[in-house]
Amino acid sequence: MTKTAGLPAHLAHPFSPAGRVDPYPAYDWLRAHDPVHRDPMSGLWLVTGHADCAALLKDPAFSAAAGQRERARDDDLPVSMLTTDGADHSRLRAPGALLLGPAALASVADGIAADTDALLDRAVERGTPVDAVAELGAPLATAVLARLFGLPADRHGTLAELARAASVNLDPLAPPHVARLGRAAMGELTRFLDAHAGQADPACPLGRLAADPRLTRPEMLGVLGLAVVGGWQPLAEAVGNALYWLLPRPEVRAALRTAGQDAAETAVDELLRLEAPIPFTARVTVRDAELPGGRIPAGQRVLAVVAAANRDPAVFADPGELVWDRRPNPHLAFGGGPHFCLAARLVKQSGAVLLGRVVRRFPEAVIAGPDPRWAPSLIPRRLTAVPVALGADDRDAAGLEGAHA
Ligand code: HEM
C-alpha cells in the first residue's frame, strides 16, 4: 500500500455518510498505517497520530489564518483570533482574556451555577424524558454566553437562534450553499452583538473587553463572534455526548456523586477526549513541514484530526473506554499550541457543574427509548437527540460537600 492510497475498501471513509456516524474504524486504520495521510478523495491531508497532531498544532509551518480562511469566509466580517497567525494572533488573543480569563470566570461562576439549577428545575417541570441536547446542553451554552455578555433574559432566545444558524461556519467541508447561509447568519450575529455591546454592563466580561483600547470595535466583535460560533454548539452538543457515555455506567455515576469539582472536571476532560465535539481543525502549510509521522509539502490543506489523536493507543490505555478519573489526560479536544481553546477552563468548570448536579439530583436518570443516533455531521460531533428519563429528583443532594458552584 502506498502512502497516498485510500482506505481499505471495507472501511467507511470518515467523510462518507456511514463514516460520519462512526469515523473511528477509519481513524484507527489511518493512525496505525499512515498517520500523515494524503486523502485521495478530498485532497486533504489527514493527520491522525497524537504526536503528529500535537506537533502540527504548535508548528508555525501550519497556518491557521490560511486554513480557516480556506472555507471562504466573508471578508466583510471581523477577523478573529482563529483566522490569524503569529503576532496578529497574539495581539487579538491577549485582550480575549478579559472575556474568558480567570477573573472573568470567577465573576460568572455563581451565576452559571444558579442558571444550571434553574434549567434543571425547568426540565423537571416539563416532565421526562428531556432531550439532553436541546433542554440541558443548549440552555447551558446560552446561559454561559449570556453571563459573559451580560445579556438580559429576553435576548437569550435570539442569541441561541443566531448561534445555531452561524454554527455551520464550524464545518470546513460545508457545501457552498450551506456555507453561504452560515456567512449570512454570521453577519446577523455580528450586528446583534454590536448592538448589545453598546449597552452592556461595563462590569461584565464583555463590558470590560469592549472598553479595552487594544482592540478596534470590529476586532472586539470578532472575539465575541468567535466565542459564539466556536463555543455555543460545541458546548451544547458536548452535554449530550457526555450523558450518552455517562448515564449507562452506574459505577462512574456513583463515583461522581461523591466527587468534588476537581474530580468532576477530570471526568469532563475524559468525556471530551472520547467524543471530541470539534473532531478536526484546518490548517494550510505555508512551507514544507516535517511531522514525526511524515512530511507535508508547502501549500497543502491539512486537517489535524484530534478525535483520532485522542484515541491513540500509544498515549491512552484503553483508548475506546471511559476511564473517568484518567490522569494525566493529554487529549487534544481543546486543540493545542497558540490557538488552544481560550475557554477550556470555562468549559470544564461549567460542564462539571452540570454533570455533577445531574448525577446527584437524578440518581435514577437513564437514557430513555432506543439508542441515540450520531448525526451525519462533521463538526460538531453530535447525537441527533439524547432522551433522558430523569427519575426521582433528589434536589437536596445538589449541594453535597465538594459540589460547590
Ligand atoms: C466543549 C466545548 C468546546 C470545545 C470542544 C472547544 C474546542 C476548541 C478547539 C479545538 C479550539 C482550537 C481550534 C484550532 O486550533 O483551530 C478552540 C479555540 C477557541 N475556543 Fe473553544 N471549544 C469549546 C468551547 C468554547 C467556548 C464555550 C468558547 C467561548 C465562550 C470558546 C472559545 C474559543 C476561542 C476564542 C478559541 C480561539 C483561540 C485562538 O485562536 O487563540 N470555546 N476551541
Side-chain angles (χ1 to χ4, degrees), residues 316-341:
F316 303 100
D318 300 322
E321 299 299 319
L322 176 70
V323 181
W324 76 273
D325 54 355
R326 192 186 291 274
R327 266 193 194 142
N329 192 339
H331 71 80
L332 299 174
F334 289 124
H339 293 281
F340 181 79
C341 180

Side-chain angles (χ1 to χ4, degrees), residues 160-338:
E161 266 169 45
L162 292 173
R164 187 185 303 283
S167 292
V168 299
N169 290 300
L170 283 169
D171 185 350
L173 301 182
H177 68 283
V178 176
R180 232 182 349 264
L181 290 176
R183 286 199 298 282
M186 194 65 208
E188 212 180 317
L189 172 66
T190 304
R191 285 187 288 281
F192 170 82
L193 293 170
D194 195 13
H196 168 64
Q199 319 151 4
D201 174 358
C204 77
L206 181 151
R208 300 189 55 220
L209 182 72
D212 190 274
R214 287 172 291 176
L215 296 183
T216 64
R217 186 143 186 113
E219 287 169 347
M220 186 275 294
L221 293 172
V223 174
L224 300 183
L226 175 61
V228 176
V229 175
W232 187 85
Q233 205 188 1
L235 180 53
E237 303 294 347
V239 169
N241 299 357
L243 289 175
Y244 169 79
W245 275 92
L246 197 58
L247 292 183
R249 292 175 171 75
E251 70 292 353
V252 181
R253 289 163 42 176
L256 277 179
R257 215 166 284 144
T258 51
Q261 175 75 7
D262 283 356
E265 289 187 20
T266 300
V268 170
D269 263 323
E270 174 67 352
L271 290 158
L272 290 170
R273 179 191 71 80
L274 269 172
E275 300 294 355
I278 300 183
F280 49 77
T281 185
R283 299 288 188 267
V284 167
T285 44
V286 289
R287 54 178 178 269
D288 291 357
E290 198 72 53
L291 293 172
R295 199 174 151 276
I296 304 181
Q300 301 294 303
R301 294 181 69 197
V302 182
L303 298 184
V305 188
V306 297
N310 282 353
R311 293 183 181 213
D312 188 337
V315 177
F316 303 100
D318 300 322
E321 299 299 319
L322 176 70
V323 181
W324 76 273
D325 54 355
R326 192 186 291 274
R327 266 193 194 142
N329 192 339
H331 71 80
L332 299 174
F334 289 124

